[in-house]
Amino acid sequence: MIFSRKRAEGARHARDERDNGVLDAEDTPQAPARGPYDLAEAPDAPRLDLGSLQIPAVPEVEVRVQADPQGVVQQVVLVHGENALQLGVFAAPRSEGIWDEVREEIRQSLFNDGAAAQEVEGEYGTELRARVRTPDGITDLRFVGIDGPRWMVRGVFQGAAATNPDAAGPLTACLDGLVVDRGQEAKPVREPLPLRLPREVAEQQAGQEGAPQREV
């Protein structure tokens, strides 16, 4: 699945005010107070470079990735205690977000699978919460999406953070400190932006067989 959202009214990013012409021409544009950030607006901070996504270093948060033998990352999951946040980043239109339509597609897909989903207004705009049946039992999920300039980040929370955003703690800090390096290449809307292992990790993996999941 692919997720995003349109900016809600009163969104917390200074970028939105600039886009809407709220700031005076004499004002110097400032970076958003919180991310996810576009690479051009990101403050300096230590991060793990996965290509299109740069993950901030947050204490007690494990970054788990699944990659193919060529080092191309297939999945990124952040883990803190019993909570998890799966991340993805995708190409998006320059002119508008697509979270409304994609959220409806997700809701319909869940409904077809026998799972009810509820829309809830959250910190990142309209979220989608659902309870699904998995081989491990019933699992709660919380889908969020955030639009940026020609990209969208989606996150799927699991664990207590799926029903109680306050329980996300350091995972929210990771999402708010995330940086997107969109690149200049033209890409179809919703196409995943390329992710890769850090060079040193990819070199280690090249000398090993199997073990596609890495903690970095």
Side-chain angles (χ1 to χ4, degrees):
M1 298 179 181
I2 301 172
F3 323 102
S4 180
R5 74 166 175 82
K6 292 185 178 180
R7 295 288 188 194
E9 286 188 21
R12 49 192 170 80
H13 288 33
R15 174 172 59 231
D16 303 325
E17 295 182 350
R18 294 200 301 276
D19 290 344
N20 293 331
V22 174
L23 297 184
D24 294 334
E26 296 179 357
D27 291 340
T28 300
Q30 300 294 320
R34 300 169 65 183
Y37 302 97
D38 188 68
L39 182 63
E41 300 176 317
D44 291 334
R47 299 183 183 91
L48 177 67
D49 188 352
L50 297 179
S52 295
L53 278 183
Q54 297 179 14
I55 313 296
V58 176
E60 300 182 358
V61 173
E62 297 179 359
V63 182
R64 301 179 180 178
V65 301
Q66 291 183 344
D68 64 19
Q70 287 71 45
V72 177
V73 173
Q74 309 295 325
Q75 186 178 72
V76 179
V77 180
L78 310 185
V79 179
H80 177 259
E82 296 182 354
N83 291 317
L85 171 62
Q86 181 180 353
L87 292 173
V89 61
F90 306 89
R94 184 186 300 273
S95 58
E96 62 180 1
I98 55 176
W99 173 233
D100 286 348
E101 64 182 73
V102 175
R103 186 176 67 250
E104 174 58 24
E105 293 173 6
I106 298 167
R107 189 198 64 78
Q108 187 61 50
S109 176
L110 291 167
F111 178 81
N112 292 340
D113 291 338
Q118 180 182 12
E119 290 188 348
V120 177
E121 289 303 312
E123 186 176 12
Y124 300 99
T126 305
E127 304 175 351
L128 197 63
R129 300 185 187 182
R131 177 165 291 181
V132 301
R133 188 179 302 276
T134 72
D136 297 326
I138 300 299
T139 300
D140 290 308
L141 301 175
R142 176 162 64 98
F143 303 89
V144 302
I146 304 162
D147 284 340
R150 299 176 65 222
W151 52 258
M152 62 178 180
V153 168
R154 64 97 176 106
V156 185
F157 287 93
Q158 300 182 49
T163 55
N164 178 16
D166 291 337
L171 295 180
T172 298
C174 288
L175 186 56
D176 289 343
L178 202 67
V179 173
V180 178
D181 184 355
R182 166 62 175 80
Q184 300 301 317
E185 301 85 355
K187 293 183 179 296
V189 172
R190 304 191 191 187
E191 178 175 299
L193 298 180
L195 299 173
R196 53 168 172 72
L197 291 173
R199 178 174 299 177
E200 61 275 14
V201 178
E203 290 174 351
Q204 293 176 8
Q205 184 177 1
Q208 302 174 359
E209 295 182 2
Q213 179 165 302
R214 309 279 300 188
E215 292 185 11
V216 294

